[in-house]
Amino acid sequence: MIRDITIGQYYPGYSVVHKLDTRLKILMVLAYMAAIFVASDFVGYAIVLIGLLCVVGISKVPGRFILRGLKPIFIIIAFTFVLNLFMTKGDVLVTLGPLTITSQGVYTACYMALRIIFLIIGASMLTFTTKPVKLTDGIESLLKPFVRLGVPAHELAMMMTIALRFIPTLLEETDKIMKAQQARGADFETGNIFRRAKALIPIFIPLIVGAFRMAGDLAMAMEARCYRGGEGRTKMHEFCFGRKDAQAICWFAVWFALIVCERIFDLQSVLVALFS
């Protein structure tokens, strides 16, 4: 399970998506998240899926690598699905004792599960195709206009990137601790949920201690290199928009416009009326 967590990891590549301006990718991901909430039915989600599949195909990130990242949040997806399935009122399809499954519940459950999946995959594509250093510079560049308002742009960008960078490091440390505990006879697979939770205590304590130790080492290393924040710092590679970035903006604008038009004209209702 630990190896299945891919959030925050970078997948090396030389695709068009990898080479796009980092600031543009961040803004596109934010607009993509907004588009998911704009889409109001499965026709809109079909447009979202087509756009997402195109980006995944162009980025050349393996589908197995992307889907592997969904395993750790499968419980959240399943809980959301079941909750909406039984808690939505409507036309009853099946009765299971005090619980009922309605047609509206099935629709809402599928709708919400897809929303979570699309959000996770879309957000993960940003870290899959962007190096942590570039991500820091991109966030700092986008927050720079707010510096006059007292927003510490560089510090915020640095904190977010360090947090993302520590995810695979902590996962690797967790894997080492689990293997060491299993070598000493620890059992994390059998027993009820309370016994499994209790068995995780010998993992969390050394993990937290190790995390504080790594944070202290990182702080001392930054001070030894005379790090004093973003004041007066320069960049080795400056951001600049190119032709590929302009093309990406045009294609994304068309895709977003299709979702907005589908929401305005309610194409799903039109299709249902035509085929009913």
Side-chain angles (χ1 to χ4, degrees):
M1 181 64 73
I2 296 298
R3 297 181 181 274
D4 291 332
I5 300 178
T6 59
I7 299 175
Q9 297 188 23
Y10 170 71
Y11 188 86
Y14 301 94
S15 67
V16 175
V17 181
H18 283 78
K19 296 178 181 179
L20 287 178
D21 190 286
T22 304
R23 298 169 298 177
L24 178 60
K25 286 191 283 188
I26 295 173
L27 293 175
M28 281 185 172
V29 168
L30 295 176
Y32 166 83
M33 293 181 177
I36 293 177
F37 289 94
V38 170
S40 59
D41 48 43
F42 286 108
V43 175
Y45 273 13
I47 300 175
V48 172
L49 178 61
I50 292 173
L52 184 60
L53 290 177
C54 290
V55 173
V56 171
I58 296 173
S59 67
K60 298 180 180 178
V61 178
R64 291 183 179 179
F65 184 79
I66 297 173
L67 294 177
R68 200 173 69 193
L70 294 175
K71 291 183 180 180
I73 63 166
F74 175 77
I75 296 178
I76 298 177
I77 298 175
F79 178 77
T80 304
F81 182 87
V82 173
L83 188 66
N84 285 277
L85 185 66
F86 290 107
M87 299 299 292
T88 305
K89 297 181 180 180
D91 302 326
V92 178
L93 296 177
V94 180
T95 301
L96 302 173
L99 302 176
T100 58
I101 299 177
T102 63
S103 57
Q104 290 81 359
V106 175
Y107 180 92
T108 305
C110 296
Y111 184 81
M112 296 303 296
L114 287 174
R115 174 177 288 183
I116 296 175
I117 292 172
F118 287 160
L119 283 173
I120 295 298
I121 295 178
S124 298
M125 288 303 299
L126 175 63
T127 57
F128 289 160
T129 60
T130 310
K131 294 181 179 180
V133 175
K134 289 187 176 181
L135 193 59
T136 304
D137 294 341
I139 295 173
E140 181 182 359
S141 179
L142 291 175
L143 293 177
K144 188 172 294 184
F146 300 97
V147 172
R148 296 181 180 179
L149 301 177
V151 177
H154 178 80
E155 287 74 12
L156 287 176
M158 181 64 69
M159 288 168 54
M160 295 172 65
T161 307
I162 289 176
L164 287 174
R165 177 61 185 86
F166 261 63
I167 289 176
T169 303
L170 291 176
L171 292 178
E172 184 179 353
E173 188 72 14
T174 304
D175 191 42
K176 290 180 180 179
I177 296 173
M178 289 184 68
K179 289 181 178 178
Q181 295 291 351
Q182 288 174 339
R184 293 175 173 85
D187 186 9
F188 305 108
E189 303 297 333
T190 60
N192 55 35
I193 187 171
F194 298 103
R195 184 175 179 180
R196 293 186 182 184
K198 185 178 180 180
L200 292 177
I201 295 177
I203 296 178
F204 287 140
I205 294 177
L207 180 63
I208 294 174
V209 173
F212 278 106
R213 185 183 66 252
M214 287 187 289
D217 293 343
L218 177 61
M220 286 191 294
M222 294 173 72
E223 290 181 358
R225 289 167 174 78
C226 301
Y227 174 78
R228 294 294 181 271
E231 189 69 26
R233 292 176 65 89
T234 59
K235 301 288 189 302
M236 180 177 295
H237 302 288
E238 295 290 341
F239 288 120
C240 61
F241 282 92
R243 187 179 64 179
K244 296 293 184 181
D245 298 310
Q247 293 175 353
I249 293 174
C250 293
W251 283 110
F252 186 85
V254 172
W255 173 81
F256 194 88
L258 287 174
I259 295 177
V260 174
C261 291
E262 192 282 329
R263 174 66 179 264
I264 294 174
F265 297 106
D266 196 4
L267 295 182
Q268 178 166 295
S269 298
V270 175
L271 292 175
V272 171
L274 288 175
F275 290 99
S276 61

